[in-house]
Amino acid sequence: MIDRIVPDWPSPANVRAMFTTRNVGRVTTEKRAYTGLNLAVHVDDNPHVVQLNRNQLRQYLPDHPRWLTQVHGSRAIWVDSDSEALEGDAAMSRYPGVVCAVLVADCLPVLLCDMAGSVVGVAHAGWRGLAKGIIENTVQALREFSHSDQIIAWLGPAISSQHFEVGDEVRTTFTEYDCQAARAFFPGKEKGKWYADLFELARQRLSHAGVSQIYGGNLCTYSNPEKFYSYRRDGKTGRMAGLLWMTQFPDK
C-alpha cells in the first residue's frame, strides 16, 4: 500500500482526489535522492523504477494519469483526449475516469472542482505560475463547462513561508498586481530578501477568481523529509503527485 493524503474538503460524491507522498514505492539503491515513490521521469531517476512506481499508483486509479510537461506557465488544458503532447501547468476534465495530475516537490498543487461534480482540475502553482495567473485561468476554464457557479479548492502540501526565501523582484511582481499581496511576504535574513507564503498568495488569487471555499494549505514539504520530497531542501530529488478525477457523470 502506498502512503497518500486524501483531501479533507466537501467535494461532491463523484469526485475523488489524492496526494502521494514519498513513502513506499520502489527504492533506487544507486540514487538515494529518489528513494520512495518518485513519479517523475524528468529528474534523472532510473526510468524503469519510475515506471514501477507509476504502476503501483495506477492500482488506486480508474485510469493512468494524464501527465503534463510542466513549464511553470499559465496554460490550463483539457486532458480528456489523452494526447501525447500535454504541455501546460493545469489539467482539467469533464469526463468520468479521466485522472488529472500534476507533479510537485515544493510548488503548490491546487485541486479544484465544482459543487455539481461536473468538472475537475488540478494546477501546478509555484510562484511563477501564480504570478502568471495559472489559478485564474484554470478557474475560468472550469466555469465555462461547469453545471454550478460554485468552485471549491484544496491546497496540497508545498513549501511553507518559513523556508521559502525569494528576492525583491518576486515580491514586486505580486504587489504590483495587487497591493494586498504584501501580506504574503515577510522580511528575510538579508536586505532585499523575503519569505513568501505560497498558500496565502494562492488564497488571494483564488479569491480574485471568485473562489471562497478554500481548504488545506497547512502541510510543508520542506520541513518533513520523511514524508515529502523538497527541491528547495535537497536540490536533486523526486516528485509527488496531486491527482483528481470523477467517478461518474453528475446526477441530473
Side-chain angles (χ1 to χ4, degrees):
M1 177 179 292
I2 67 172
D3 183 45
R4 61 202 188 279
I5 295 168
V6 177
D8 182 12
W9 64 335
S11 63
N14 69 322
V15 173
R16 298 286 187 274
M18 72 166 72
F19 183 85
T20 67
T21 75
R22 70 182 301 174
N23 291 337
V24 191
R26 300 285 175 166
V27 176
T28 52
T29 55
E30 74 278 18
K31 296 184 177 182
R32 291 291 181 182
Y34 311 111
T35 298
L37 194 76
N38 170 41
L39 298 169
V41 296
H42 68 284
V43 296
D44 196 35
D45 194 2
N46 183 323
H48 174 66
V49 174
V50 174
Q51 189 56 56
L52 291 174
N53 287 340
R54 289 185 171 190
N55 292 345
Q56 276 193 288
L57 174 63
R58 174 67 178 82
Q59 299 175 39
Y60 298 84
L61 306 171
D63 197 1
H64 65 275
R66 305 299 204 262
W67 302 112
L68 302 174
T69 298
Q70 298 167 193
V71 294
H72 294 275
S74 62
R75 186 183 180 207
I77 58 176
W78 297 99
V79 297
D80 296 313
S81 65
D82 196 18
S83 167
E84 290 298 319
L86 299 174
E87 183 175 288
D89 284 275
M92 306 173 295
S93 176
R94 292 176 280 161
Y95 295 95
V98 177
V99 182
C100 301
V102 294
L103 292 169
V104 293
D106 280 342
C107 288
L108 176 63
V110 181
L111 278 59
L112 298 154
C113 72
D114 71 339
M115 290 306 291
S118 64
V119 288
V120 295
V122 56
H124 162 239
W127 77 260
R128 291 178 179 84
L130 283 170
K132 293 174 182 177
I134 186 61
I135 284 179
E136 295 93 323
N137 291 351
T138 307
V139 172
Q140 180 180 5
L142 291 173
R143 282 212 167 100
E144 290 181 11
F145 295 93
S146 174
H147 297 179
S148 167
D149 290 334
Q150 191 174 6
I151 304 286
I152 64 173
W154 182 77
L155 309 181
I159 190 169
S160 64
S161 59
Q162 296 97 313
H163 304 289
F164 188 42
E165 194 172 37
V166 299
D168 275 332
E169 72 283 359
V170 176
R171 183 177 185 272
T172 300
T173 296
F174 285 96
T175 56
E176 285 183 346
Y177 172 83
D178 178 9
C179 63
Q180 297 299 315
R183 299 198 312 254
F185 293 88
F186 312 92
K189 295 178 181 177
E190 302 174 7
K191 184 178 181 180
K193 295 293 185 179
W194 302 86
Y195 289 109
D197 188 339
L198 282 178
F199 299 116
E200 176 60 22
L201 290 169
R203 292 186 185 100
Q204 291 177 4
R205 293 298 181 119
L206 285 163
S207 179
H208 293 158
V211 178
S212 59
Q213 287 187 254
I214 306 168
Y215 304 88
N218 57 359
L219 294 174
C220 174
T221 48
Y222 186 103
S223 61
N224 192 341
E226 296 301 317
K227 198 174 188 71
F228 301 124
Y229 292 114
S230 169
Y231 180 80
R232 180 64 70 104
R233 182 188 65 227
D234 300 323
K236 190 173 185 179
T237 193
R239 298 294 187 272
M240 304 159 295
L243 306 127
L244 187 65
W245 68 96
M246 293 181 289
T247 59
Q248 62 186 42
F249 283 110
D251 295 331
K252 299 295 184 180

